[in-house]
Amino acid sequence: QVQLVASGGGVVQTGGSLRLSCAASGMPFSTAFMAWFRQAPGKEREKVATIHWRGGTTTYADSVKGRFTISRDNSKNTVYLQMNSLKPEDTAVYFCAAAQPPSYNYDFWGQGTQVTVSS
C-alpha cells in the first residue's frame, strides 16, 4: 500500500520560510516522479514543483520560481519543498504526489499539510 505522509506546514509571517517534507512508503521511490501541488480555498489545484526521479530535472510554477526549491533524498524516500520569501498568496494546503512508470500519472497523493502566511 502506497503512503505519502506530508509534514512541515504551519503559520509563518510574510517573508518567512518553511520546509515541507513528504515521506513515501510502499512503492519504488527511486523511479518515481515526485511533485508538490497546492490548493487554496475557492481555487483550483495548482502544480507547484516537480522533480525527476534522478533529481536532476525540476520544474516550477511561475508563481514560485526563485523562491521555492524542490529536492529529494532517495536514500530516505523523501521529497522536500523549501519555501522562502513566503507571501500571503502562498497560503494553501500543500500536497505531495507520486507518479510511477509507465504511465507517470500522479496517482498517489499525500494527505496535505496547511501552510498559512500572515501579512
Side-chain angles (χ1 to χ4, degrees):
Q1 181 181 0
V2 176
Q3 279 196 316
L4 300 176
V5 180
S7 62
V11 180
V12 64
Q13 291 187 332
T14 297
S17 298
L18 284 173
R19 188 174 86 151
L20 306 183
S21 300
C22 175
S25 61
M27 70 173 197
F29 183 80
S30 62
T31 58
F33 280 65
M34 300 297 296
W36 286 96
F37 291 76
R38 68 185 180 186
Q39 189 163 22
K43 295 189 176 181
E44 292 187 354
R45 185 173 60 194
E46 175 187 22
K47 186 187 295 181
V48 175
T50 68
I51 186 165
H52 187 276
W53 63 270
R54 288 180 179 172
T57 301
T58 57
T59 66
Y60 296 94
D62 287 343
S63 56
V64 307
K65 278 181 182 176
R67 301 187 298 121
F68 291 11
T69 302
I70 189 171
S71 62
R72 65 191 293 161
D73 185 339
N74 287 348
S75 69
K76 296 182 179 179
N77 288 3
T78 300
V79 63
Y80 304 97
L81 186 68
Q82 177 67 44
M83 305 185 294
N84 298 328
S85 302
L86 283 161
K87 305 174 181 180
E89 51 264 44
D90 294 318
T91 295
V93 178
Y94 284 71
F95 300 89
C96 60
Q100 288 284 354
S103 68
Y104 287 109
N105 295 323
Y106 288 104
D107 292 328
F108 305 103
W109 293 82
Q111 83 285 7
T113 184
Q114 176 72 46
V115 172
T116 302
V117 184
S118 61
S119 56

